[in-house]
């Protein structure tokens, strides 16, 4: 068994779509970044890579490389899953906590859970999607994701 941990943050910016967990969510701002800014998929990708002691997302997909501009972050996740498989492991479950002031994730959590589970090839009841507002943190204009993942030998 292996455990992995990933963390990411992105700043909210007007005029771009919001993507979290591979889903476009209704909101008046999106998350800036070189790729599509999907803070949750980035943290999951880093958790998977960390579990196999691999290079991190920034090393594999550097923002300085133009080919990753506006990239679909599912591409990063797929590469992490490919490396996990090559290392002889498969994901068992993952758990996440998002920290953001808006939009409210509760009503969207089921859809995010199902989509992330599909992307990771695990059952929906093996994906935890939790959200908090940034009380006292002063990070109202950012979205933060924390992820842990468990792998087993396959
Ligand atoms: Mg990121």
């Amino acid at each position: 068994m292996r455990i992995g941990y990933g963390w990411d943050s992105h700043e909210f910016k007007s005029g771009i779509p919001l993507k979290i967990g591979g889903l476009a969510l209704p909101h008046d701002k999106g998350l800036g970044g070189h790729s599509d800014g999907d803070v949750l998929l980035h943290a999951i990708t880093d958790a998977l890579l960390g579990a196999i002691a691999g290079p991190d997302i920034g090393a594999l997909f550097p923002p300085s490389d133009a080919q990753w501009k506006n990239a679909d972050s599912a591409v990063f996740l797929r590469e992490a899953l490919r490396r996990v498989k090559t290392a002889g492991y498969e994901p068992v479950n993952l758990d996440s906590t998002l920290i953001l002031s808006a939009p409210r994730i509760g009503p969207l959590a089921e859809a995010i859970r199902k989509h992330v589970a599909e992307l990771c090839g695990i059952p929906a009841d093996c994906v935890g999607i939790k959200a908090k507002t940034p009380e006292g943190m002063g990070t109202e204009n950012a979205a933060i994701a924390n992820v842990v993942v468990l792998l087993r030998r396959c």
Side-chain angles (χ1 to χ4, degrees):
M1 306 281 261
R2 291 287 185 102
I3 190 169
Y5 166 72
W7 184 96
D8 196 24
S9 72
H10 282 262
E11 189 176 11
F12 279 105
K13 293 208 156 69
S14 298
I16 54 173
L18 176 62
K19 275 186 83 178
I20 294 182
L23 286 184
L25 304 181
H27 195 48
D28 60 345
K29 290 176 183 171
L31 293 170
H34 192 66
S35 65
D36 64 6
D38 194 321
V39 68
L40 179 57
L41 292 195
H42 293 183
I44 294 171
T45 298
D46 255 352
L48 289 164
L49 292 169
I52 55 165
D56 69 15
I57 190 171
L60 290 180
F61 307 102
S64 55
D65 189 335
Q67 70 170 306
W68 308 123
K69 186 150 178 59
N70 301 320
D72 178 352
S73 295
V75 171
F76 308 156
L77 178 60
R78 274 197 289 274
E79 172 61 14
L81 288 164
R82 189 192 68 75
R83 286 172 178 254
V84 162
K85 194 175 175 191
T86 300
Y89 290 92
E90 64 184 7
V92 178
N93 75 307
L94 70 86
D95 188 21
S96 68
T97 301
L98 292 161
I99 305 165
L100 70 177
S101 54
R104 281 190 60 234
I105 295 298
L108 307 166
E110 263 325 293
I112 297 172
R113 179 199 318 283
K114 281 183 188 147
H115 195 68
V116 167
E118 203 174 294
L119 288 173
C120 293
I122 56 178
D125 66 359
C126 292
V127 175
I129 303 290
K130 311 185 302 298
K132 317 280 286 182
T133 51
E135 306 296 323
M137 287 177 58
T139 56
E140 279 72 15
N141 203 40
I144 293 165
N146 286 273
V147 171
V148 286
V149 62
L150 185 69
L151 308 181
R152 69 179 159 221
R153 278 266 176 218
C154 62

